[in-house]
Amino acid sequence: MQAKAGQFFSSGHTNNWAVLVCTSRFWFNYRHVANTLSVYRSVKRLGIPDSHIVLMLADDMACNHRNPKPATVFSHKNMELNVYGDDVEVDYRGYEVTVENFLRVLTGRLPPSTPRSKRLLSDDHSNILIYLTGTSRWNGFLKFQDSEEISNVELADAFEQMWTKRRYNELLFIIDTCQGASMYERFYSPNLMALASSQVGEDSLSHQPDLAIGVHLMDRYTFYLLEFLEDIHPASTANMNDLFKVCPKSQCVSTPGHRTDLFLRDPGNVLITDFFGSVRKVEITMETINLTAPMVFSIEIIIKNYCNQ
Amino acid sequence: MAVDDPQAVDHCRHRGRLAALAIAVVVIAVGVPLWWKTTETYRAWLPVTQINQLAQLQLQLSVEVEVVFSRGTLTAEHQKKIDPTHTRLEEHPTTVLRYRYETRYRTATIMEEDALNQPTAAETDQSLHLLSESPCGSVVIYVVPESSTLLPEGVSVYVGQRRTALLRAGRPMRVGIGLKEVLAHLETQVQQVLKVMSFSHSDITAALSDRVRLDYSSREGLADSMRAFKSSPGYEITFSLLNPDPKSHHLHWDIEAAVQSYIQPLLSKLAPVADFSLDSQILYYAVLGVNPRFDPSLNAYTLNADSLSHVINPVEARLGSSAASSNPVLNFLLYVPDARHSPLYITDHRKYTVVSNAFSSPRWGGIMVYNVNGTELPVHINIDMTRVMGVFLAQLRLMLGVQSSTPPPGFLVGPCGPAGLADWELDRLLWSRSVENVATATTTITSLAQLLDQIGNIVINDNIAEQVSAAVASLQLAVGQLEAGNLGLALQYSKEAILHSERAFFDPSLLHLLYFPDDQKFAIYIPLFLPMCVPILLSLLKMAAEARQRRRERQDKKE
């Protein structure tokens, strides 16, 4: 009991959220959708329910006219793993994935008519995982829909707004794009940990093309990230230091980077499942209330019948 | 002609100079202000000074205490000398909190004496209620003599259903003991009672946990704060019956009646705190994600406490919730195990079965396992809602923040009454909720003001300014009511303050305009303004050069 209590208090979170965003469209950017769906699949497998995941896909690859295997999105060239699955729930799709909507989801400034599934209803005890993938041709920006960009300053400001309103307990930010490290350079809010697939000045490369589908299926960093996550199960004790080692330069060609100076806990003490899974804390109910049998209830019925006459 | 030409040329040049000057004047005097005005963002006025004042959050909580002496607790001469009112001020400079306890002393009336003559404490409590009604937030303590048989052995305080407590006087009243000593001893006992029935310093600081960085010296305090939902204007409660084996078990639960008789009274009592919406559902073929193990010693299947954390997630996907509101959802699940895994017990870490056969998850809800016995299948079961609701009610109380801390030794807490919530428990909740609301609203407003200050290009519309002013007004009223001791009004104003501040902070129009780095700003302005400004500047420079030239010529001529 003592050990459980200790674990209860160490991480300080009671629920998990995930915001997974793919920002690029067009068929040749198939790999970005596959990236996002791989992370979605891992996160669901480790326990985060759909009601706590905001999935934003800027284009539809599974039902794209050019997809030779409709209703599937594969992550490996032998078509081993269909990451689309049969219970995927996309919250923002197609043209709804814009910089404005992304910032609105993060800061909570959505119009009152927005349904619950499209909101990030986190509180001060939520651990949030944010995963972004897309193209970015230059330092400090990420392209959305090939027509607009989000800059690292806007992202840092959005996180600061989340912090002032206590919308997260701890936040893990992962980005898979060229020059990804530039996106977390400007963060200044506490309790943020960031990972990127490449440093400033480097390009993030894709993994392998599939000759039947005709496009590259995944990016290298997320491919090895998915491999790593497939070994994690809900009771696993792997920690963040293992995550930092994913995809070294020999496999990734680019150098993945990470940033932990704003994070209060030591990364070695942070479990992977603190962000990717949703291990609920439970307490046995020791006390119950002794209720008297519904004598009162029958009197109510009598009175109701009496009054209805 | 030759004579006219220089004059004409001069005239032309003079006209040209005037034109250039006029254009320059128009550009500077009219153009620049016009550009400035049209490119500035509209920012309505916000009451920043008042917000900064509120940010210091100096709260004073006032509690009215009435101490009633029954016959035999005070000697006659003490009764004559006693000061009828007494105010005690408790200050905590580190958290700028002040507590003011206004105590009134009086002797019991004849009717109260009759009530105190009842055989048991519970009956005394009931009769005392019939006599008077104490306002929200106040506490009435009846002091009974040490020899009284009302309280059982070893119990010095009995806490009743409403806002009264029975306190056994500490030492026998001997002649010669000064009034001051008697009162001082009484004071310490009264303070203990108030910590249980009203609020303690740790409760209030826990409610302020957003603003006050606590060192969680009490694990109970931390567990409480993580377990209960944060203050919200409304909650949704869902009762679900999970039947994984409909072929063998035909279940019938009268949820409507059960909710009406057991849950609704509690929710009506909590109406000042929040709005509640209730619904219920039955899920068929819904299984728990964990396989229970067979325990031969118990001849039953068991679910160990460690595996319970993995039970909730697979079920949650099927529960659903209302799409329209963003209120927190409390789920209460009743699981009837399938015939192959019956009976199913939950065991704790020491491998003992849990009596309630239920567990809960902080800020989510509770699950109870209900075993049915039936020899011939299919079994028709009428679920015993009394037992089920007893468990759910206890879990609901925990989720909503009715603290379950164990009372100090010598205290006996009476049953909580028909609504499932004693009045003093409600008062405790109201105190911590009011303080929490005030703290949250203040934090929201101050951070909004800071944000709008920091990020210069967010538009502040009039309606946001209105909401902010309304929030500030409500906050000031709430703080005032807390000072005056009107708990009900304080909670109401604090809820209004939260509503206005949240509306202001989360207004969709407050999305800051896209950030433009300086080089992009120059890239936009230069092609527009440079071609226009260059001729003006050049002509002004030329005019200045000519003027200097003429002045030099005039000086030369003079010499």
Side-chain angles (χ1 to χ4, degrees), chain B residues 145-317:
Chain B
E146 172 136 7
S147 52
S148 160
T149 48
L150 263 185
L151 304 173
E153 274 299 311
V155 171
S156 49
V157 180
Y158 174 83
V159 179
Q161 265 181 24
R162 302 278 175 92
R163 299 184 171 101
T164 52
L166 300 175
L167 176 65
R168 193 204 294 273
R171 290 174 297 183
M173 295 295 120
R174 296 198 307 268
V175 176
I177 291 190
L179 181 61
K180 257 195 277 196
E181 287 161 11
V182 168
L183 284 182
H185 183 75
L186 192 65
E187 195 58 43
T188 41
Q189 285 183 304
V190 164
Q191 270 186 42
Q192 258 201 331
V193 173
L194 285 176
K195 277 207 172 59
V196 170
M197 287 183 73
S198 208
F199 55 82
S200 66
H201 182 58
S202 54
D203 293 336
I204 300 296
T205 44
L208 289 175
S209 64
D210 267 359
R211 308 171 52 91
V212 180
R213 270 281 151 239
L214 307 172
D215 61 326
Y216 283 110
S217 44
S218 92
R219 304 212 119 170
E220 256 184 33
L222 174 57
D224 273 345
S225 86
M226 284 179 68
R227 183 192 301 125
F229 277 92
K230 282 199 86 61
S231 173
S232 158
Y235 297 96
E236 290 189 22
I237 303 180
T238 307
F239 292 98
S240 312
L241 172 64
L242 272 64
N243 186 357
D245 199 3
K247 281 206 289 269
S248 331
H249 297 140
H250 289 185
L251 299 173
H252 174 70
W253 76 336
D254 196 2
I255 185 69
E256 272 192 55
V259 157
Q260 246 340 88
S261 13
Y262 302 123
I263 306 286
Q264 198 53 49
L266 174 66
L267 298 182
S268 314
K269 199 154 181 182
L270 285 172
V273 176
D275 299 320
F276 293 94
S277 88
L278 282 165
D279 42 37
S280 66
Q281 60 181 346
I282 304 183
L283 292 175
Y284 295 106
Y285 294 106
V287 292
L288 299 180
V290 180
N291 279 328
R293 279 185 305 182
F294 186 73
D295 189 348
S297 60
L298 292 168
N299 199 22
Y301 287 87
T302 58
L303 265 182
N304 196 11
D306 292 324
S307 53
L308 290 176
S309 24
H310 306 298
V311 164
I312 296 181
N313 288 319
V315 179
E316 182 160 6

Side-chain angles (χ1 to χ4, degrees), chain B residues 4-20:
Chain B
D4 279 354
D5 267 352
Q7 263 192 354
V9 167
D10 255 346
H11 190 65
C12 271
R13 228 183 270 156
H14 186 65
R15 270 225 317 243
R17 258 181 256 136
L18 279 180

Side-chain angles (χ1 to χ4, degrees), chain B residues 46-111:
Chain B
L46 292 177
V48 183
T49 37
Q50 291 181 3
I51 294 175
N52 288 337
Q53 239 180 3
L54 280 171
Q56 288 157 12
L57 202 64
Q58 291 176 319
L59 281 181
Q60 177 176 303
L61 307 179
S62 300
V63 186
E64 281 176 20
V65 186
E66 204 175 320
V67 178
V68 182
F69 292 100
S70 65
R71 205 179 312 133
T73 47
L74 269 191
T75 62
E77 66 174 84
H78 284 167
Q79 276 182 18
K80 274 183 253 162
K81 283 200 282 187
I82 199 165
D83 191 15
T85 57
H86 169 66
T87 307
R88 180 168 67 89
L89 203 57
E90 197 181 303
E91 293 203 11
H92 292 266
T94 46
T95 51
V96 291
L97 282 170
R98 291 197 322 185
Y99 308 130
R100 201 172 68 155
Y101 298 98
E102 289 190 5
T103 323
R104 278 194 311 137
Y105 296 105
R106 67 177 175 84
T107 48
T109 62
I110 301 191
M111 291 193 289

